[in-house]
Amino acid sequence: MEQMLSIEFGLILKIHRHDVFGAGTDTIFASLEWAISELLRNPHTMKELRQEARKIGQGRLAIPEDDIAKMPYLKAVLKEALRLHIPAPLLIPRESTKEVKLLGYDIPAHTQVMINAWAIARDPSIWEEPEEFRPERFLNIRTDYKGFDFEFIPFGAGRRMCPGISFAETIIELALANLVYKFEFTLPSEDGLDMTESDGITVHRKFPILVIPTPCE
Ligand code: HEM
């Protein structure tokens, strides 16, 4: 069953509902597991985020969606997690509709184009200490993943960019904020966390995260 999805600029897309389900679940899952992995590897970041969550949560049962906008550090954590661990590192293959010249290269019409967003997000000529997980880098810059800053395009860009961006942002931020608000996490061993990636269109952790969650007082 296909549904017509009408989005901004009057562009009409035909999107299969299985595409929406597939594109929306695996990517959110991957983003959340990488964000938590990085927080576990960077205790000072975890502490900073927990402090922000406690300030906003104020002892309530949970942080509601309306309060997420007041959590700039959380937003920076998500951006930094998406920069280092783009769920779909090569985005989705696209095809040129007409002949174009790009950076001195002639690209004929109907050429399959793959964009290495992973390499762009770790390019040392753009990012200072690109391999480091430092959410602070996003606190004082306007760079965002909404498709206007080509150095950071985990959701793609242009008319075929991800239509689930707001939904993904809301779900991941809400889950992350409340996990950190309600639990302390510790690793079961001193060996640290193996960050090996799996193969695939969506990149997950090769080995599941094993953590001990302790409910916060
Ligand atoms: C962190 C979460 C997500 C990431 C990183 C992500 C990333 C992407 C990327 C890179 C593309 C291709 C864009 C391009 O080629 O320029 C895409 C397309 C798409 N995404 Fe997402 N996505 C996420 C969540 C979601 C969610 C939650 C939904 C639906 C509820 C969704 C639905 C789709 C659909 C239907 C397309 C195909 C659009 C088209 O071809 O015109 N995505 N996504």
Side-chain angles (χ1 to χ4, degrees):
M1 171 79 102
E2 282 180 339
Q3 281 176 316
M4 297 295 277
L5 201 73
S6 167
I7 60 167
E8 267 181 294
F9 312 119
L11 177 73
I12 305 293
L13 299 176
K14 254 188 176 178
I15 292 179
H16 204 278
R17 71 176 166 197
H18 296 149
D19 295 344
V20 176
F21 189 74
T25 45
D26 208 29
T27 46
I28 289 186
F29 161 39
S31 312
L32 204 50
E33 73 178 344
W34 285 118
I36 290 177
S37 305
E38 287 294 358
L39 288 171
L40 286 165
R41 276 173 15 117
N42 295 277
H44 66 282
T45 312
M46 177 76 99
K47 193 170 159 209
E48 189 84 16
L49 182 58
R50 181 165 292 119
Q51 273 171 0
E52 184 179 72
R54 290 207 174 135
K55 201 168 124 213
I56 295 296
Q58 296 175 330
R60 289 174 293 173
L61 192 60
I63 299 176
E65 192 183 324
D66 286 351
D67 285 351
I68 295 293
K70 299 175 209 156
M71 299 184 69
Y73 197 73
L74 169 71
K75 291 183 171 293
V77 165
L78 174 59
K79 282 184 184 172
E80 183 68 339
L82 284 173
R83 183 187 68 79
L84 276 180
H85 305 283
I86 297 188
L90 301 178
L91 308 182
I92 292 179
R94 300 294 187 199
E95 190 182 287
S96 54
T97 47
K98 57 182 182 190
E99 193 184 327
V100 281
K101 209 178 201 16
L102 192 65
L103 300 173
Y105 293 92
D106 292 313
I107 301 174
H110 310 299
T111 305
Q112 194 180 71
V113 180
M114 315 263 304
I115 302 194
N116 192 343
W118 183 93
I120 298 171
R122 290 176 183 237
D123 184 341
S125 70
I126 302 171
W127 304 95
E128 205 174 295
E129 297 186 283
E131 302 298 324
E132 297 294 311
F133 183 76
R134 285 206 341 237
E136 290 75 12
R137 72 174 85 237
F138 282 106
L139 288 177
N140 299 316
I141 54 171
R142 297 173 67 94
T143 307
D144 208 341
Y145 43 57
K146 302 280 163 69
F148 297 103
D149 303 307
F150 295 135
E151 66 272 33
F152 183 44
I153 47 167
F155 294 95
R159 290 192 296 175
R160 294 299 296 266
M161 79 174 288
C162 179
I165 185 164
S166 302
F167 181 69
E169 184 181 66
T170 305
I171 298 295
I172 300 168
E173 287 177 349
L174 201 55
L176 205 52
N178 279 294
L179 281 172
V180 170
Y181 178 49
K182 300 303 279 188
F183 297 97
E184 302 265 359
F185 294 99
T186 40
L187 292 171
S189 91
E190 302 276 299
D191 300 342
L193 199 58
D194 187 326
M195 296 292 275
T196 311
E197 298 176 340
S198 69
D199 302 330
I201 294 174
T202 314
V203 174
H204 286 275
R205 293 179 52 79
K206 185 162 184 180
F207 308 107
I209 322 179
L210 287 179
V211 283
I212 304 167
T214 314
C216 297
E217 291 299 308

